[in-house]
Amino acid sequence: MPPPGGKSCPNCQQQELFGFSFKHTPGVVLEGCRGCKGLWLDHGKLIQLAVKLGLPPDEIPQAAPVEAPAAPAEVQCPRCEATNKPTDKQCWQCSASLVPEAPSCPRCVTALVETERDDVALRACNACGGVWLDQASVMQMFQHHMNTCGALDSSSERREEDLQRRTQPAACPICKI
C-alpha cells in the first residue's frame, strides 16, 4: 500500500518517493527513495533528460517492452528450503507461499519486470515504460562510465587534497551554473 499522498518505492514498498531535480536539468523532476537510494525514471523523464542534456530528438531511444525471464526448473521454499515445482503456489512441505510479491510500478501499479541493460540490473514497467534503478545499479552505471572513460586524474593524493579544500560546490565551466 502506498504511503498517503504519494507513490511508494517499488523496492522498500512503504517508503514514499520524493521529487528532486539535478542542477543541470532544471524542470526535470525525478523521483528517488530516501530509504534504498533508488531512482524512478519513466520514459518521459528519460526523454526530458536527454533533450536537456543536448541529445538530438531523433537519437533518443524509444521505450521497448521488456521480456520476463524464463521460469526456473525448480523453486526453493523461502521458509523451509524444500524443493518445489515452478508451477506450485505453496510449498508442499510447509504450505508457505512460493509466489513472491513482485515490486509494482509506483505510477501505474503494474508488476515490474527484472531485466538487464548494458550489464546493469534494473526493473522495468511494460505498461508506462518506467525504470527502477536501485543504488547498486546506479553505482554500477557510474562505474561502467568511469571504466569506459578512464580516470581523468590518476593521482589519488591530488584528489584527496582537492576534496579536503572544497567547501562550496564548483560551477560548471561551460554554463557557469
Side-chain angles (χ1 to χ4, degrees):
M1 180 168 142
K7 296 179 204 142
S8 65
C9 171
N11 192 48
C12 299
Q13 305 289 322
Q14 300 301 315
Q15 185 78 29
E16 184 173 350
L17 297 178
F18 70 98
F20 70 95
S21 293
F22 288 117
K23 196 172 187 177
H24 282 73
T25 55
V28 180
V29 180
L30 305 176
E31 295 165 292
C33 175
R34 286 184 174 92
C36 68
K37 310 295 188 248
L39 295 177
W40 175 254
L41 303 163
D42 63 26
H43 191 66
K45 297 294 181 186
L46 290 172
I47 290 174
Q48 288 178 348
L49 280 174
V51 169
K52 289 267 188 187
L53 295 172
L55 190 65
D58 58 334
E59 292 182 24
I60 298 171
Q62 296 302 307
V66 178
E67 291 183 28
E74 52 187 37
V75 176
Q76 192 172 25
C77 175
R79 185 188 299 162
C80 72
E81 299 183 1
T83 302
N84 294 268
K85 292 183 255 176
T87 54
D88 292 345
K89 304 286 185 223
Q90 289 184 317
C91 176
W92 66 269
Q93 186 169 321
C94 72
S95 299
S97 175
L98 297 174
V99 182
E101 188 176 316
S104 59
C105 172
R107 172 150 296 137
C108 65
V109 196
T110 302
L112 297 176
V113 177
E114 290 187 23
T115 187
E116 191 175 289
R117 302 251 173 93
D118 296 327
D119 297 324
V120 175
L122 54 91
R123 293 178 181 151
C125 177
N126 282 331
C128 72
V131 175
W132 175 258
L133 296 165
D134 61 20
Q135 185 178 17
S137 296
V138 171
M139 296 308 292
Q140 189 178 5
M141 284 175 44
F142 284 121
Q143 184 64 44
H144 175 73
H145 176 72
M146 294 305 291
N147 288 342
T148 303
C149 295
L152 299 178
D153 180 2
S154 59
S155 164
S156 60
E157 296 83 20
R158 171 70 185 267
R159 285 194 306 268
E160 190 60 37
E161 286 175 21
D162 288 346
L163 285 173
Q164 289 175 357
R165 279 195 310 239
R166 257 185 244 149
T167 57
Q168 296 293 324
C172 172
I174 309 302
C175 66
K176 307 300 183 213
I177 293 178

